[in-house]
Amino acid sequence: MQHQGFIQAIADDPDNDVHRLVYADWLDDNGDPERAEFIRLECELFPLLVDENTAPNHWDCPRYYELQEKIAPLYEVNYDEWFSPLFDELDSEMETQRGFPHSVSLSGRQFAERAVELFEQEPTVEQVLIYDLDGYVPEIAASPALASVRDLQFFETPILAPDMEQFAKSPHLGNMRRLSFAFTDAPSGPDGAKAIANAEALTRLEKLDLLNHHIRDEGAIALFQSPRLATLKTLNLGVNQLYLQSMQELTKAEHLCLESLDVSSNQLQSDSIAALAQAENLRQLKVLDIGANLLERDGAIELANAEFLPSLRELGLSNCRFDDESLAIVLHAEMHDLIKLHAGNNSFGRLTSEALAQNHSLKQVRTLGLYQGRFESGLNFENVNLPALRELALWGSEFESGAKIDLLSSELLQSLHDLGLANCEVSDDEIEVLAKNDAIRNLLSLTLRDNVITDRGAIALVESPHLDQIQSLDLQHNSICNKGVVALRDRFGSRVNV
């Protein structure tokens, strides 16, 4: 097999690294060891990503950054030789993945006029981001280049219902796995969703993002009823003016088996959660975001009894109007697979802290987002047992008298790598309490920006014997003067931002 045969095999079976690594061996045998090394390094790098677009923290995965340091010079020195000059000619942002061009950004006109040529030269490209449609939707829909696209994102360019209808009529959508209209600056409404639901060629779609398109129940129901979308695994319908009727229809869609569902920022109430909670077609859910809905106490009760709750890995509950009792009801439920919980902009009090202490099924939680929360006095963090907790986000939260001291002096912090306390009115007295707490000995990142810390608080951090592991200390927008700045930089060097 020669060069082009290997490239085509990779393009035809993009998820299989075997073709890439066999090609790397062939390159070694045929005098191109640098390209071979680049492919192997990127194949090792890819599984280390948190998700396809998110790098891990340096302290969680130093190997990722070691690989990046080796990859970058190979890419820069060999770019012109390895990759098509068309990327530069189009002034297009191109990103590689697992050794080959993977993602490219094009204007509507560029896609319409040059995408066929681009895919002929670089058939491994899977992801296309289209900006500035400029009336080229009919030409894009007619382009056979769409048949090579597995992941299509329309970005910061209005795409209205008539555009959606033209796009959805394309006969070239059969290879599409992921489709996003999330940031298109204008809603397509129910008719836009109906167009996607009726797209005859769109039969292999796994991820659909229609964030903020105001599709309402009418559009959502069309999506749920479409048998063509039976392959969907991930669905984002946040900010779409959805009510009970669409959630009831979702539970009837036996052909759907979603693994990730975002219905945040809609008009859902407890009756909607009751419908979702018993839905057989949602029992495979791993990720659920129902934040910014009107759930209150009754919604908490329904959620706590949901069939899918024990197997969720990520749960979004921010701004659900939960008081302390309501949030505690949810946190008493069995969630033995949960690793991320975002429950910001709710009330957090004694009952919630007791629920965290008593619920041993939460021992796998690594990320806890309680940002913009309301923390009541009388909290007891000492018995909270979250041994896997690595990230605690509290930015923008309000604390009643004594609650902040209770938190900053507690053993809850002992497993943390990342503590976010931006804009929490943290004072020098509270910083002194934190600095003396040996539970912060594992902290790698501490965010204290936008508080009321002065030189006294800065010196307390400098003199703390428990911050030897810190990699990032953010103290921007406080009242720290030159004395404190000098001391901080002497202790932490480039790791502090002040």
Side-chain angles (χ1 to χ4, degrees):
M1 186 181 292
Q2 297 302 307
H3 167 82
Q4 198 56 41
F6 284 111
I7 298 299
Q8 194 58 54
I10 292 165
D12 292 341
D13 190 12
D15 296 328
N16 189 349
D17 277 353
V18 170
H19 303 300
R20 301 168 192 260
L21 297 174
V22 169
Y23 180 47
D25 291 343
W26 183 87
L27 289 167
D28 265 335
D29 294 340
N30 287 269
D32 198 349
E34 286 196 344
R35 184 74 194 272
E37 182 184 12
F38 181 79
I39 294 168
R40 292 192 186 103
L41 289 171
E42 285 217 327
C43 283
E44 183 182 349
L45 181 83
F46 180 70
L48 303 180
L49 291 167
V50 177
D51 58 47
E52 190 171 342
N53 300 306
T54 307
N57 291 323
H58 193 288
W59 45 85
D60 282 339
C61 188
R63 179 59 178 164
Y64 178 90
Y65 294 90
E66 293 170 4
L67 292 169
Q68 284 282 40
E69 288 181 2
K70 296 178 180 179
I71 288 168
L74 290 170
Y75 179 90
E76 292 170 6
V77 169
N78 296 287
Y79 180 93
D80 291 339
E81 179 183 350
W82 290 348
F83 308 123
S84 169
L86 196 55
F87 293 125
D88 284 341
E89 183 182 337
L90 296 173
D91 193 24
S92 171
E93 293 184 12
M94 184 274 288
E95 295 181 3
T96 58
Q97 189 178 96
R98 292 148 67 217
F100 299 86
H102 171 78
S103 176
V104 63
S105 60
L106 300 169
S107 69
R109 178 176 179 176
Q110 287 172 336
F111 190 95
E113 296 179 353
R114 307 295 297 276
V116 170
E117 180 184 1
L118 178 63
F119 279 102
E120 286 175 352
Q121 295 182 20
E122 297 287 3
T124 63
V125 171
E126 298 181 46
Q127 182 183 79
V128 177
L129 186 152
I130 296 181
Y131 62 92
D132 190 15
L133 277 170
D134 196 25
Y136 278 89
V137 172
E139 291 84 356
I140 292 171
S143 174
L146 273 181
S148 298
V149 180
R150 285 164 58 97
D151 184 339
L152 183 61
Q153 303 176 26
F154 293 92
F155 185 72
E156 292 186 349
T157 183
I159 181 165
L160 303 177
D163 302 315
M164 291 276 232
E165 290 165 357
Q166 288 180 318
F167 172 79
K169 291 176 182 177
S170 172
H172 306 300
L173 303 178
N175 197 36
M176 196 77 64
R177 304 303 202 278
R178 296 176 290 277
L179 183 57
S180 174
F181 303 93
F183 299 98
T184 53
D185 296 339
S188 60
D191 288 343
K194 290 178 182 178
I196 297 301
N198 294 323
E200 294 185 3
L202 201 63
T203 58
R204 303 173 75 181
L205 197 64
E206 297 173 2
K207 179 178 180 179
L208 176 61
D209 193 333
L210 282 166
L211 175 71
N212 195 24
H213 271 267
H214 300 182
I215 68 172
R216 301 198 292 271
D217 284 349
E218 181 183 352
I221 289 170
L223 293 171
F224 299 150
Q225 291 179 343
S226 174
R228 299 181 184 88
L229 299 181
T231 54
L232 268 184
K233 299 298 181 185
T234 300
L235 181 60
N236 186 350
L237 295 180
V239 199
N240 270 297
Q241 302 176 6
L242 304 184
Y243 290 82
L244 172 62
Q245 185 181 3
S246 56
M247 296 302 101
Q248 290 175 327
E249 197 64 37
L250 172 57
T251 66
K252 300 175 186 177
E254 296 180 358
H255 58 283
L256 287 178
C257 187
L258 296 176
E259 296 176 2
S260 177
L261 175 64
D262 187 336
V263 286
S264 61
S265 301
N266 283 293
Q267 303 297 319
L268 308 183
Q269 299 185 28
S270 60
D271 50 3
S272 296
I273 305 305
L276 297 177
Q278 306 305 320
E280 293 188 8
N281 61 347
L282 297 181
R283 291 184 179 179
Q284 302 303 312
L285 268 185
K286 301 299 180 186
V287 179
L288 175 65
D289 192 342
I290 51 176
N293 283 294
L294 311 175
L295 304 189
E296 300 181 317
R297 185 178 185 277
D298 288 345
I301 293 171
E302 298 295 348
L303 179 61
N305 293 312
E307 297 279 352
F308 51 72
L309 198 62
S311 58
L312 284 183
R313 293 180 62 80
E314 299 182 23
L315 177 59
L317 298 173
S318 297
N319 194 22
C320 285
R321 300 193 181 184
F322 287 156
D323 58 17
D324 180 35
E325 180 187 6
S326 302
L327 188 54
I329 289 170
V330 177
L331 294 182
H332 272 296
E334 183 178 352
M335 293 180 279
H336 49 73
D337 286 347
L338 198 68
I339 59 173
K340 289 185 179 181
L341 173 62
H342 292 281
N345 209 354
N346 292 296
S347 290
F348 191 101
R350 178 181 58 82
L351 295 175
T352 311
S353 61
E354 289 176 357
L356 287 174
Q358 296 167 9
N359 190 346
H360 298 294
S361 74
L362 297 175
K363 288 185 176 181
Q364 304 302 317
V365 172
R366 292 177 58 86
T367 298
L368 183 57
L370 300 175
Y371 37 81
Q372 295 182 313
R374 297 171 295 280
F375 289 80
E376 301 171 4
S377 57
L379 296 177
N380 180 8
F381 292 102
E382 291 305 322
N383 295 321
V384 174
N385 185 21
L386 298 174
L389 190 63
R390 297 293 181 267
E391 179 182 0
L392 178 59
L394 300 166
W395 48 265
S397 291
E398 300 176 3
F399 293 82
E400 292 184 0
S401 177
K404 208 179 310 176
I405 293 291
D406 290 341
L407 171 66
L408 299 181
S409 62
S410 75
E411 291 296 311
L412 174 65
L413 311 183
Q414 64 184 339
S415 62
L416 287 184
H417 288 172
D418 188 336
L419 175 59
L421 286 163
N423 193 26
C424 289
E425 296 189 1
V426 179
S427 68
D428 290 333
D429 289 342
E430 291 156 348
I431 285 295
E432 288 177 345
V433 170
L434 178 68
K436 293 175 183 177
N437 186 355
D438 66 356
I440 65 173
R441 59 188 175 275
N442 294 311
L443 269 186
L444 300 172
S445 177
L446 176 58
T447 302
L448 291 164
R449 64 184 298 152
D450 298 300
N451 284 298
V452 291
I453 302 166
T454 70
D455 282 356
R456 180 160 67 92
I459 297 302
L461 293 171
V462 168
E463 294 177 349
S464 173
H466 310 304
L467 291 174
D468 290 342
Q469 303 299 316
I470 206 76
Q471 299 294 315
S472 175
L473 175 58
D474 188 350
L475 284 160
Q476 295 181 89
H477 306 142
N478 281 284
S479 300
I480 301 172
C481 298
N482 188 60
K483 176 183 176 182
V485 170
V486 170
L488 285 164
R489 288 180 175 159
D490 284 345
R491 166 78 191 272
F492 299 107
S494 62
R495 297 172 293 164
V496 66
N497 195 349
V498 60

